[in-house]
Amino acid sequence: MTGAHFFPYGWLYDSKPFYVLSPIMSITPIVIGWNINEGALWYVPLTFAILLALLIFLLIKDYKKKELLLQEEPSI
């Protein structure tokens, strides 16, 4: 459920990684938690950490793309 609060940032920052990973970050840990035994529950925070790292990587990539586009715009 923690990933769901990232969804509005997709609109606020016009950033597709938030739109894509927000539902994935909400659903994946729940599905994993339902399907594993109690001894392996550490997979849930590990999965969330991996998804957060992926989100950070994609956001940096998105930021650099937008920065490059801004630099290419002609100044008036």
Side-chain angles (χ1 to χ4, degrees):
M1 292 299 191
T2 306
H5 79 277
F6 287 126
F7 193 74
Y9 291 113
W11 169 77
L12 184 63
Y13 297 116
D14 191 28
S15 183
K16 289 183 183 176
F18 283 121
Y19 283 133
V20 173
L21 283 176
S22 176
I24 292 171
M25 290 172 69
S26 297
I27 296 170
T28 304
I30 293 171
V31 170
I32 290 173
W34 282 340
N35 294 317
I36 60 175
N37 61 16
E38 290 177 12
L41 280 176
W42 59 271
Y43 284 129
V44 174
L46 176 66
T47 302
F48 201 77
I50 291 169
L51 290 171
L52 279 173
L54 178 63
L55 177 64
I56 291 168
F57 171 75
L58 293 173
L59 286 173
I60 290 171
K61 189 176 171 184
D62 185 55
Y63 172 78
K64 290 185 184 242
K65 182 179 77 170
K66 289 176 182 175
E67 185 180 38
L68 185 63
L69 288 173
L70 284 175
Q71 289 176 358
E72 291 176 357
E73 286 184 5
S75 59
I76 299 175

